[in-house]
């Protein structure tokens, strides 16, 4: 089973930006198969919508580093670990800008980028990005269409309702051909249908320490994705997943390991990564925790 960890990006870990390269190198040396970033823009003082069904914003979101910069650092500092995003809020970014950044990172990493996209949930972040939130689903679809065009065609051109790319030469392509594998997040029916229609994989989440692991939270939606894929004429078995293991504050290593092993045994998960922002306050603590988790899972 592939096991990864988030880079030092949010919360107290964000204050050790100079240690990102060391963390990436050491995590890979310990046996990490992947390194990940998220995409937060604000920590609203009076949020219209709180995080994960609450009415508040986690304190960890008060301190955030840029995902693209961290991806580039990790790509340059490592040799084998995949470099992933879970998730980039694609509607915030002009596709031409996004394609340039992700292509660069895929090339620096020699084809190790795993781009995951979603739509986000914060109205305040959408206002700060200058994008109407009610357009997020359509903008995500158009962004994916434009990325496909820029990663495959030459010259490339895209004309959508919200995003446009005038005819252009795009001679630098990602290292991965025909393009990096695209993963999508979300549990709503429309999100699952989008995964089935156009993604290489789905990005579910579990939360050790907030109750026992429920394999149905993965197996049920994944069955829906595969049913949709079959309806659309795609091979349902070809759609994979990467599980985000997001421990609540105070979760133990045993709870995290149990979630990972049960996900493998009861939901067929073959790639999971652990969100570190609630587990450690320093990069050294984060590396110690990563080593404990890897040793416990792999024996």
């Amino acid at each position: 089973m592939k096991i990864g960890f988030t880079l030092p990006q949010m919360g107290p870990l964000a204050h050790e930006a100079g240690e990102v390269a060391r963390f990436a190198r050491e995590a890979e040396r310990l046996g990490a198969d992947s390194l990940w970033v998220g995409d937060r823009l604000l920590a609203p003082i009076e949020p219209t919508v709180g995080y994960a069904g609450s009415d508040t914003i986690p304190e960890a979101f008060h301190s955030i580093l840029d995902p693209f910069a961290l991806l580039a650092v990790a790509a340059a500092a490592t040799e084998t670990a995949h470099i992933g995003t879970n998730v980039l809020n694609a509607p915030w970014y002009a596709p031409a800008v996004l394609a340039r950044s992700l292509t660069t990172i895929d090339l620096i990493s020699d084809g190790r980028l795993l781009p995951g996209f979603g739509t986000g949930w914060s109205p305040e972040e959408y206002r700060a990005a200058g994008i109407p939130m009610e357009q997020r689903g359509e903008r995500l679809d158009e962004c994916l269409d434009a990325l496909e065009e820029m990663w495959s065609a030459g010259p490339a051109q895209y004309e959508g309702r919200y995003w446009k790319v005038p005819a252009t030469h795009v001679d630098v392509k990602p290292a991965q051909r025909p393009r990096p594998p695209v993963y999508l997040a979300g549990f709503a029916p429309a999100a699952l249908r989008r995964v089935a229609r156009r993604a290489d994989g789905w990005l579910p989440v579990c939360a050790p320490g907030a109750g026992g692991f429920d394999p149905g939270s993965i197996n049920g939606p994944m069955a829906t994705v595969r049913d949709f894929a079959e309806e659309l004429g795609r091979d349902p078995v070809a759609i994979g997943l990467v599980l985000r293991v997001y421990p609540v504050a105070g979760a133990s290593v045993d709870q995290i390991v149990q979630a990972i092993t049960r996900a493998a045994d009861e939901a067929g998960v073959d790639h999971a990564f652990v969100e570190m922002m609630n587990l450690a306050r320093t990069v050294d603590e984060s590396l110690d925790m990563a080593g404990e988790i890897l040793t416990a899972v792999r024996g």
Side-chain angles (χ1 to χ4, degrees):
M1 184 180 188
K2 293 178 180 176
I3 301 172
F5 302 93
T6 53
L7 290 164
Q9 183 190 11
M10 300 185 191
L13 297 173
H15 296 278
E16 296 191 48
E19 298 282 7
V20 171
R22 181 172 72 89
F23 176 88
R25 283 193 300 268
E26 287 299 303
E28 183 179 71
R29 185 186 63 79
L30 290 169
D33 298 293
S34 56
L35 300 164
W36 296 80
V37 295
D39 196 9
R40 293 267 59 85
L41 190 59
L42 300 179
I45 294 172
E46 297 182 358
T48 306
V49 178
Y51 182 66
S54 73
D55 57 1
T56 61
I57 301 296
E59 186 176 351
F61 292 170
H62 295 191
S63 303
I64 308 165
L65 296 176
D66 177 75
F68 299 99
L70 265 62
L71 289 170
V73 169
T78 57
E79 297 180 356
T80 60
H82 291 289
I83 311 296
T85 70
N86 190 341
V87 294
L88 291 176
N89 292 315
W92 297 350
Y93 304 104
V97 175
L98 191 59
R100 182 183 62 183
S101 295
L102 295 180
T103 296
T104 302
I105 292 162
D106 195 53
L107 288 167
I108 291 171
S109 70
D110 195 23
R112 291 181 282 130
L113 178 67
L114 294 178
F117 301 111
T119 58
W121 46 267
S122 169
E124 284 79 15
E125 287 183 324
Y126 269 88
R127 287 203 292 275
I131 300 295
M133 189 171 180
E134 64 273 12
Q135 299 171 359
R136 62 192 183 278
E138 292 174 277
R139 283 182 178 270
L140 171 58
D141 281 326
E142 288 194 7
C143 183
L144 295 174
D145 289 339
L147 285 175
E148 188 83 34
E149 173 74 6
M150 297 192 73
W151 281 342
S152 59
Q157 184 173 7
Y158 179 75
E159 187 79 16
R161 180 179 180 185
Y162 299 111
W163 297 120
K164 295 174 174 57
V165 180
T168 181
H169 295 289
V170 187
D171 292 343
V172 176
K173 302 294 186 184
Q176 299 179 82
R177 304 303 297 148
R179 56 164 174 74
V182 170
Y183 285 74
L184 295 175
F187 283 84
L192 296 178
R193 184 172 285 277
R194 183 180 287 113
V195 173
R197 187 174 74 251
R198 64 185 316 157
D200 297 292
W202 178 49
L203 297 169
V205 62
C206 71
F213 175 77
D214 176 15
S217 66
I218 298 173
N219 289 332
M222 197 66 209
T224 299
V225 167
R226 288 177 172 150
D227 286 344
F228 283 152
E230 196 162 16
E231 290 175 12
L232 295 165
R234 294 190 66 196
D235 178 4
V237 178
I239 300 174
L241 67 85
V242 178
L243 175 65
R244 179 189 180 207
V245 180
Y246 179 49
V248 302
S252 67
V253 169
D254 285 346
Q255 288 172 314
I256 295 165
V257 170
Q258 182 185 69
I260 293 172
T261 55
R262 289 190 64 190
D265 295 342
E266 300 173 40
V269 174
D270 62 6
H271 192 170
F273 73 93
V274 181
E275 172 62 65
M276 304 300 286
M277 70 179 179
N278 287 335
L279 298 179
R281 298 189 64 82
T282 69
V283 164
D284 286 333
E285 287 179 8
S286 191
L287 286 167
D288 288 343
M289 183 73 73
E292 286 186 55
I293 293 168
L294 287 165
T295 298
V297 172
R298 293 173 174 166

